[in-house]
Amino acid sequence: MSATTIPQTQNSITSTIAADMDAVNTVIRVKLQSEVPLVNQVGEYIINAGGKRIRPVLAVLFANAHGYQGTAHHNLAAIIEFIHTATLLHDDVVDESSLRRGRKTANALFGNAASVLVGDFLYTRSFQMMVELQSMRIMEILADATNIIAEGEVLQLLNMHDPDVTEERYLQVIRSKTAKLFEAATGLGALIAGANEAEIEAAAEYGRSLGTAFQLIDDVLDYSGNAADIGKNVGDDLREGKPTLPLIYLMRHGTEHQCELVRQCIENGDSSKFDEILSAITESGALAYSRAQAEQASDRAIQALTHLPESDYKDSLIQLARFSIDRNH
């Protein structure tokens, strides 16, 4: 496992915390170990799948930006990565996904049962690690975040194949399912360093906004990226009947024919009309609108950093907010 798995062109973002991320990865390897071989096999596969490690990076950056001198942030970052990885294992089963980060999903390789159960192992291992940190506040934040993420997953399930999902309902899913763990990572990075309440809330706001920007760009890339770059099949959202922001915008501003086409595709999880949908999305300005919403979220994230003293860590956080909307994967 390398010091960071953010793409090579973004190495400058994490160059200041390379040693920290090596330490985080060591914690991950040690805590991943189980006496049950299949747990080790599935866990290693998904942990080593080439993700950006953004959430643990955020925890480490905020801890360092607030002058933290200990090592507990390494454990905290590993906990956050385990929670995130557990959600991925469960997500891919629910979505019946076969490709993630350019590789077969764990459920495609090991089966649904193994993926769900190893996801449970990662959740429970993360809670064992929380106890080791001996901070009720940390446990409270992470327990609440994990619960809200689960609620977000259920909300998304309820939205599936529903063409009447509003933008607000959709954004509620993003805030719960994606942005909440970003928020926990950034807020806890500041908390563990002894930041005051205003600083912790500012860090949390950065995470909320960054997580929102990342998810909105993911939604844009599902209609404008290519499988080699984004590491999954383009059009998966449409196939799964997910009414993401580009489709919601098109339903609101498209022609009657376009709206009916989108409605049918969402209801039936039909990606056979992907090219026609893509053309309509592009012509309607839906991708531009979705990207603009992501840019606003990225700007809010950068604004939340104004209280931080100047440092390489702050510079990395600013770069990361910009990377969230400039990426093609």
Side-chain angles (χ1 to χ4, degrees), residues 48-67:
N48 292 330
K52 302 178 188 72
R53 288 280 200 279
I54 289 172
R55 294 154 192 83
V57 162
L58 287 171
V60 170
L61 282 173
F62 266 96
N64 287 342
H66 285 280

Side-chain angles (χ1 to χ4, degrees), residues 45-259:
Y45 182 80
I46 187 70
I47 286 287
N48 292 330
K52 302 178 188 72
R53 288 280 200 279
I54 289 172
R55 294 154 192 83
V57 162
L58 287 171
V60 170
L61 282 173
F62 266 96
N64 287 342
H66 285 280
Y68 183 64
Q69 296 297 315
T71 60
H73 60 325
H74 301 150
N75 296 68
L76 181 63
I79 290 168
I80 290 163
E81 184 68 4
F82 279 171
I83 293 172
H84 173 58
T85 303
T87 68
L88 297 187
L89 284 165
H90 289 171
D91 271 2
D92 286 340
V93 171
V94 171
D95 296 340
E96 300 178 2
S97 300
S98 61
L99 193 67
R100 180 181 286 278
R101 299 167 181 164
R103 303 200 311 171
K104 282 187 175 181
T105 54
N107 52 298
L109 206 59
F110 301 100
N112 287 342
S115 292
V116 170
L117 295 173
V118 173
D120 291 344
F121 169 85
L122 290 173
Y123 272 134
T124 51
R125 178 51 53 88
S126 72
F127 276 83
Q128 288 177 322
M129 294 168 67
M130 285 178 218
V131 174
E132 292 172 0
L133 291 176
Q134 297 185 332
S135 167
M136 187 60 71
R137 179 80 183 278
I138 289 174
M139 289 185 66
E140 178 185 9
I141 291 171
L142 284 170
D144 287 347
T146 305
N147 188 252
I148 289 170
I149 291 165
E151 287 183 334
E153 299 284 2
V154 177
L155 282 173
Q156 179 171 270
L157 188 64
L158 292 174
N159 287 351
M160 299 279 270
H161 303 291
D162 182 357
D164 296 318
V165 169
T166 62
E167 183 171 333
E168 180 50 41
R169 272 174 63 190
Y170 170 70
L171 291 175
Q172 184 182 2
V173 169
I174 285 183
R175 287 191 292 268
S176 300
K177 183 176 177 288
T178 303
K180 192 63 183 178
L181 194 56
F182 277 76
E183 175 187 333
T186 53
L188 286 171
L191 172 67
I192 206 167
N196 62 42
E197 289 303 318
E199 291 168 336
I200 292 169
E201 175 50 37
E205 173 57 35
Y206 174 93
R208 279 193 297 272
S209 298
L210 184 73
T212 299
F214 258 94
Q215 186 58 59
L216 288 171
I217 292 299
D218 277 353
D219 295 344
V220 168
L221 290 174
D222 198 63
Y223 292 95
S224 62
N226 66 71
D229 284 335
I230 66 178
K232 68 171 188 172
N233 298 313
V234 175
D236 269 358
D237 288 347
L238 192 62
R239 178 183 62 78
E240 293 162 11
K242 285 183 183 176
T244 56
L245 190 56
L247 292 181
I248 293 169
Y249 182 93
L250 179 57
M251 288 282 287
R252 203 165 66 224
H253 297 281
T255 66
E256 186 176 341
H257 169 73
Q258 289 171 337
C259 292

